[in-house]
Amino acid sequence: MPVLPMTRELLAIDGGTPVRKTLLPYGRQSIGEDDIQAVTDVLRSDWLTTGPKVAEFEEALAAWVGAKHAVSFSSGTAALHGAAFAAGLKPGDEAITTPMTFAATANCVLYQAAAPIFADVSADTLNLDPEQVAKRITPRTRAVLAVDYAGHPADLDAMKELSASHGLVVIEDACHALGAEHKGRRAGSIADMTVFSFHPVKHLATGEGGMVTTDRADYAETLRRFRNHGISTDARQRQSQSEAQWHYEMVLLGFNYRLTDIACALGLSQLKKLEKNLLRRREIAARYEVALCDLKAITLPTVRPGVNPAWHLYPIRLNLERLSADRGKIFRALRAENIGVNVHYIPVHLHPYYRDRFGNRAGEYPIAEAAYARLISLPMFHAMSDGDVEDVARALQKVIHHFAR
Ligand SMILES: *Cc1c(COP(=O)(O)O)cnc(C)c1O
């Protein structure tokens, strides 16, 4: 491991030499020749959209996470919308969710004209705090939408307990957590419905794409209809032979949220490498921990007992009391060193849309807001080399030592 520098180096932001020559992004996909081959094979086949690859990908992903059903969608956001619909969210209903997420998690509740109700997070994992959730339950609450922040599973045992006593649907936004384990079970096999994203920065990339996994056949059927205009194909099977060729029925108001055969072929090919890529992410997290654990001015992510995170993000928190600069200054200094740090997330209730519509004010969710002021996501993707990890550690040491007080 690099030795801590005793003198303060000239930062790149002040005209010094950056730790890296080129920018290391915070996340990115890796596409191999096998992936390219899988996609070109589909392009030469009879199917571009709904063909054999869709069902194949759904079945493979369901089996991999340990769920009975998986329904693909054109994005993680569309999949969240599907889950909100299948959960029965409607005007007048409330769904409790976390402010420490990407806006899409809360938006899907609004798509159903229901109300997203935020609850504060636990200080260690930045996942929904069950006690805060309990305080927000009303007779109108229909669902809890928990996010596995950074890839660390939310406290689903507590969420399921709450939901059992109040008749709520538990939806897990596991867009960060494909492959995360909780007491030996993979995300996707625990909640009533679990949502995944296949955006290029996530564990498995299909360009755009998403999936809902569930053990409930009724949810799966509703999800399939919802993503295909609300069309039921059961009617085709009921009709006489002659009419069977053209008959279908639209039974609910759905959307075109289908995922293409092209994307599913890429997904199937990427799925073969998921296990290996997860191992690499865990290795990178372990290397970060060894390299950074001596830096007193930062706090590394916590892992609760019984949990094996999927490490979509590696979010550190600055101990601002020990630093003479704020998060913005340290962020800019790291970027100048060519480390593509990012921030996840601006708490959702503080976005102008949510402020204007719900009159949310700063200070309502103090744990999430205090965390936000200190958070910096370090680069984390499976194709990072050990040298890349060392560059990040070196840049952090350089910048943190410069601003240490
Ligand atoms: C990526 C992500 C989404 C949205 O997924 P898309 O596939 O980009 O639509 C939703 N929630 C969380 C927490 C995410 O990280």
Side-chain angles (χ1 to χ4, degrees), residues 283-304:
E283 215 171 81
I284 292 166
R287 281 180 177 267
Y288 272 149
E289 183 159 357
V290 171
L292 302 174
C293 63
D294 289 338
L295 283 180
K296 299 258 179 324
I298 64 174
T299 300
L300 303 183
T302 324
V303 177
R304 287 197 181 175

Side-chain angles (χ1 to χ4, degrees), residues 100-318:
M100 190 47 75
T101 186
F102 182 55
T105 314
N107 291 350
C108 76
V109 179
L110 289 172
Y111 296 158
Q112 288 303 110
I117 304 294
F118 296 105
D120 211 350
V121 294
S122 302
D124 59 342
T125 59
L126 303 184
N127 281 330
L128 265 182
D129 177 349
E131 276 181 35
Q132 296 298 324
V133 172
K135 282 187 194 159
R136 304 266 162 174
I137 294 174
T138 74
R140 288 189 293 275
T141 311
R142 181 176 282 270
V144 175
L145 233 167
V147 173
D148 304 320
Y149 176 76
H152 186 295
D155 189 348
L156 289 176
D157 286 345
M159 300 305 156
K160 283 167 83 166
E161 236 169 77
L162 281 173
S163 68
S165 46
H166 294 86
L168 313 177
V169 182
V170 178
I171 302 170
E172 180 182 3
D173 178 342
C175 289
H176 293 186
L178 182 57
E181 291 162 4
H182 182 243
K183 295 184 188 156
R185 292 175 70 180
R186 279 187 175 149
S189 68
I190 303 166
D192 294 315
M193 284 180 271
T194 304
V195 176
F196 297 101
S197 163
F198 308 130
H199 181 279
V201 297
K202 308 290 165 67
H203 297 74
L204 182 158
T206 64
E208 299 287 352
M211 192 83 83
V212 182
T213 62
T214 181
D215 279 348
R216 293 248 314 240
D218 56 340
Y219 286 153
E221 180 178 48
T222 302
L223 290 163
R224 284 183 207 289
R225 290 173 176 180
F226 185 73
R227 66 136 184 234
N228 188 31
H229 309 280
I231 288 172
S232 158
T233 48
D234 306 347
R236 191 170 296 164
Q237 285 135 32
R238 281 203 310 271
Q239 294 296 313
S240 68
Q241 273 304 327
S242 57
E243 283 186 12
Q245 301 303 313
W246 50 266
H247 195 89
Y248 64 85
E249 288 172 353
M250 185 196 131
V251 294
L252 56 86
L253 186 61
F255 290 78
N256 177 354
Y257 278 160
R258 296 184 304 254
L259 191 59
T260 65
D261 245 40
I262 304 169
C264 289
L266 181 53
L268 274 165
S269 174
Q270 291 255 302
L271 187 57
K272 292 189 190 136
K273 298 177 274 193
L274 179 56
E275 210 110 20
K276 185 179 102 222
N277 290 341
L278 267 167
L279 279 177
R280 179 60 189 157
R281 282 175 185 264
R282 288 174 179 145
E283 215 171 81
I284 292 166
R287 281 180 177 267
Y288 272 149
E289 183 159 357
V290 171
L292 302 174
C293 63
D294 289 338
L295 283 180
K296 299 258 179 324
I298 64 174
T299 300
L300 303 183
T302 324
V303 177
R304 287 197 181 175
V307 159
N308 195 3
W311 298 110
H312 163 56
L313 302 173
Y314 195 87
I316 62 161
R317 273 177 269 180
L318 304 174

